[in-house]
Amino acid sequence: MAVHQPLPDLPPPPSERGLWGWFRQNLFSTWYNSIASLVVGYLLIIWLGPVINWALISAVWTGEGTDDCRPGAACWIFIQQRLGFFLYGFYPAELRWRPNIVFVLFLITVVPQFFPRAPGRKWLALFGITGLPVLGFVLINGGFFGLDPVATSRWGGLMLTLILAYVGIIAALPIGVVLALGRRSEMPVIRGICVTFIEFWRAVPLITILFMASVMLPLFLPQGVSFDKLLRALIGITLFQSAYMAEVVRGGLQAIPKGQYEAAQALGFGYWRSMRLIILPQALKIVIPGIANTVISLFKDTTLVLIIGLFDLLGAVRSTLSDPAWRSVAAEGYLFVALCFWIFCFGMSRYSHNLEKKLDTGHKT
Amino acid sequence: MNSDPSLPPKSSVKPWNDPRVRSAVFQILAILAVAWVGYSLFQNTLTNMASRGISTGFGFLDSSAGFGIVMSLIEYNESMSYGRTFFVGLANTLLVSGLGIIFATIVGFIVGVLRLSNNWLIARLALAYIEIFRNIPLLLQIFFWYFAVLGTLPSPRQSVSIGEVAFLNLRGIVLPKPIFEAGSGAVGIVLIIAIIISLAIARWAKRRQAATGQFFPVLPVSAALILGAPIIAYFALGSPIGWDVPALSGFNFRGGITVIPELGALLLALTLYTASFIAEIVRSGIISVSRGQTEAAAALGLPPRRVLRLVIVPQALRVIIPPLTSQYLNLTKNSSLATAIGYPDLVNVFMGTTLNQTGQAVEIVAITMAVYLTISLSISMLMNIYNRAVALKER
């Protein structure tokens, strides 16, 4: 019996294959695409070439001061010269091992969180939100166990940026969850209080909150109680971020089907137990990308503290640039800070993007 | 938590197990807690202010300010009151937010559409723009434009000339200023009439198309009308609008309008930063319209441009509007970063200089926050109205 045997497919025509085919499809598919590609490509080459040359090829990397710089070439000397200041601010050089230890502990707790199969991940997370802040404060601030105290006004640089972002997130997340639950509560008074709180902090700019924290907070407190500047900034940032966090969590709570709430009640769970064991684990899982976005915006917002006089990474670079010896490297200085922030924020957004894809199990409600 | 009628009668439930009683107790406790916190804050503030000798009340608004402001849209000089500084700052905030919203929307929509281009190079460039600008803190971008770019411009005498009418230098950009002479009002009136007639034509054309199916080219006709009529009126009235072109005299320019570099840097940074977010919103809005819609419209015989205008854009806008609103709000709030480079916005003038001079922190911070609260709530209210207008109408 004759078996029907189809011939193998012919290969695509040469004009659709290989590099040339790719070019044809992606750059020269129509006449206006061809013109656009050529014009944009030409502009890119004549613009990008000199920029790369300025920033990398002919740039000066090492030296003693701006005297070693060349005109028409980027001058990265200041990074090498002032790196300690950018990382720690005015923190005494001989005590910098203390923040270093905290940073290593921070990495040990945070890095395993990105690998779902890492052993002891939950315990490390618990340590990260309870033990690490306390231990970090004891080590960085000193004053206990014979450690020399270091006033918060001397903290600065990348260290301060990370402290502000980390403490801000850890404090804002639980407050945000409570606020989100309150906003979904059936008790009108509780709901009203939470809605007012959330909408108020979301409607005003962070900078006015920081101003308020630094100017008005001392007036609000009983006499004799005073917070230092860093703590005031932290309170302001936490209030602000917790309102945003609350809205993110609320999105997650609303996405949980009603059946889950009813099932929890049917099993005889009380409010807190059903929230803790059934609703919140699901809701928080859904909103992890949203939380990551909040973390990114919080990280970017920490730069605002320089307006109330704290030296975060941007503040440290800025004060270096106001030094007459380094005045001529303003563009390089800002590009350096931009690169530092960009690497972190871009990494976070890629991570949250991948997570979103992984968590998207397809049965959205 | 719930007050089901199916619950057992009250007598058999202990009061501390009755959800209604518990809910009432919780709420009363919450009210008491909030009231107590509010009261103690109020008392502490009063004691602290009394002990520091800070006066209270809004009387300071009438006293003379005595400081100058580099840029003011309304008339202002040093002898005017603190209340006036508030309005100067508010006007500057509204100016930079309004311009920022317009520019960011334009740039954002263009980049968002380019991001979907089938030209690989252009799509990648748009992606690179988005990823670079939205991952760098706004404050840093403002500093970059202000200190590293605009700060390196030449002094007024070596200005960069743009066609001999506008000049770019360290002190900003000097533009020619229009001078409205007699008869220029008539040109304005003609423009308004042309817009009204175009709107009427659009309405009529829509109604006629619905009734008879006949198409009328509304867009070219109204464009010709709105552009053409004022130009004809302008020349018919003998060119009543003159231009005050700036000219170098001594060390600075005379005449024209000077846009201060603070405004330029702030506007540039706000536009580019917010546009990168808007571009992503626009992109996700456009790809949210399913392919079937485009194909169905094409099958009905609509030409590609009208497919875009009549089918895709209206559906994409539904997805775009809500997040776009929150970007507008963010831009308005972010304009307060002006204070970092000294653009005289509300925060810089009122919460900065005025607060430092009067020391009345509570009143000034409260007023400033109230302004932002009002702006935020009113923008979101307007956008909600618009959103309702374009929302899916279920039939």
Side-chain angles (χ1 to χ4, degrees), chain B residues 25-43:
Chain B
V25 170
F26 280 140
Q27 299 192 49
I28 290 166
L29 282 179
I31 292 175
L32 288 179
V34 169
W36 179 75
V37 169
Y39 175 76
S40 58
L41 285 185
F42 184 68
Q43 281 302 322

Side-chain angles (χ1 to χ4, degrees), chain B residues 184-238:
Chain B
S184 54
V187 179
I189 292 170
V190 169
L191 177 68
I192 292 168
I193 293 174
I195 291 174
I196 293 172
I197 294 177
S198 316
L199 287 177
I201 291 177
R203 248 184 100 111
W204 166 80
K206 197 174 174 186
R207 221 179 263 168
R208 191 179 74 149
Q209 193 171 12
T212 66
Q214 280 173 303
F215 177 72
F216 183 81
V218 178
L219 209 65
V221 169
S222 40
L225 201 64
I226 291 174
L227 285 177
I231 293 176
I232 293 169
Y234 176 76
F235 287 109
L237 291 165

Side-chain angles (χ1 to χ4, degrees), chain B residues 58-79:
Chain B
F58 292 92
F60 73 96
L61 288 174
D62 292 326
S63 50
S64 170
F67 63 93
I69 299 176
V70 278
M71 180 190 146
S72 152
L73 295 178
I74 54 176
E75 201 191 326
Y76 174 78
N77 60 49
E78 291 175 16
S79 64

Side-chain angles (χ1 to χ4, degrees), chain A residues 280-299:
Chain A
L280 278 178
Q282 299 184 66
L284 289 179
K285 185 185 141 196
I286 300 175
V287 296
I288 287 176
I291 292 175
N293 283 339
T294 318
V295 174
I296 294 173
S297 74
L298 168 64
F299 194 70

Side-chain angles (χ1 to χ4, degrees), chain B residues 177-181 184 240-245:
Chain B
K177 181 182 181 182
I179 302 167
F180 299 105
E181 289 156 19
S184 54
I241 303 174
W243 294 95
D244 177 16
V245 179

Side-chain angles (χ1 to χ4, degrees), chain A residues 169-182:
Chain A
I169 277 306
I170 293 186
L173 188 58
I175 301 177
V177 170
V178 171
L179 284 172
L181 290 176

Side-chain angles (χ1 to χ4, degrees), chain A residues 44-65:
Chain A
L44 260 187
I45 289 168
I46 61 164
W47 277 81
L48 220 53
V51 168
I52 290 175
N53 184 39
W54 173 82
L56 299 174
I57 297 170
S58 65
V60 186
W61 296 90
T62 51
E64 292 300 314

Side-chain angles (χ1 to χ4, degrees), chain A residues 21-275:
Chain A
W22 185 89
F23 267 90
R24 259 180 69 98
Q25 278 168 21
N26 291 299
L27 295 177
F28 303 103
S29 53
T30 55
W31 63 269
Y32 49 83
N33 257 342
S34 308
I35 295 176
S37 302
L38 290 176
V39 171
V40 172
Y42 173 73
L43 287 178
L44 260 187
I45 289 168
I46 61 164
W47 277 81
L48 220 53
V51 168
I52 290 175
N53 184 39
W54 173 82
L56 299 174
I57 297 170
S58 65
V60 186
W61 296 90
T62 51
E64 292 300 314
T66 35
D67 297 337
D68 295 330
C69 295
R70 284 191 298 269
C75 184
W76 303 109
I77 297 172
F78 69 96
I79 298 176
Q80 171 218 350
Q81 293 283 324
R82 308 276 304 196
L83 191 63
F85 183 61
F86 292 167
L87 292 182
Y88 304 99
F90 297 106
Y91 206 85
E94 67 279 6
L95 296 178
R96 281 176 189 167
W97 56 272
R98 280 161 32 182
N100 286 345
I101 290 180
V102 179
F103 183 67
V104 170
L105 285 174
F106 167 74
L107 285 185
I108 292 175
T109 31
V110 169
V111 171
Q113 307 304 321
F114 295 94
F115 300 98
R117 297 219 182 127
R121 191 166 144 245
K122 278 188 181 157
W123 293 108
L124 283 175
L126 194 66
F127 170 71
I129 54 175
T130 54
L132 186 62
V134 177
L135 197 65
F137 178 76
V138 169
L139 269 174
I140 297 179
N141 188 60
F144 304 94
F145 313 119
L147 294 167
D148 288 340
V150 179
T152 54
S153 56
R154 303 180 69 180
W155 305 10
L158 187 62
M159 180 182 95
L160 185 68
T161 301
L162 289 176
I163 290 174
L164 284 168
Y166 190 66
V167 179
I169 277 306
I170 293 186
L173 188 58
I175 301 177
V177 170
V178 171
L179 284 172
L181 290 176
R183 192 168 181 164
R184 306 254 305 155
S185 159
E186 286 169 14
M187 293 181 255
V189 173
I190 306 273
R191 197 167 59 225
I193 292 171
C194 289
V195 170
T196 316
F197 186 90
I198 293 172
E199 293 304 328
F200 178 76
W201 295 116
R202 271 161 45 93
V204 292
L206 178 56
I207 201 165
T208 58
I209 297 172
L210 288 176
F211 260 112
M212 191 193 86
S214 74
V215 181
M216 274 163 73
L217 207 56
L219 294 178
F220 286 158
L221 295 170
Q223 278 186 317
V225 181
S226 76
F227 291 166
D228 72 349
K229 212 189 247 174
L230 177 62
L231 188 56
R232 280 184 250 159
L234 270 175
I235 291 174
I237 288 180
T238 304
L239 288 173
F240 182 73
Q241 287 299 334
S242 61
Y244 280 85
M245 204 60 99
E247 286 301 274
V248 170
V249 175
R250 183 168 73 109
L253 290 176
Q254 279 175 345
I256 304 298
K258 206 168 171 356
Q260 296 287 328
Y261 291 90
E262 288 163 355
Q265 282 188 347
L267 289 172
F269 280 34
Y271 177 77
W272 290 108
R273 279 217 298 168
S274 69
M275 285 300 150

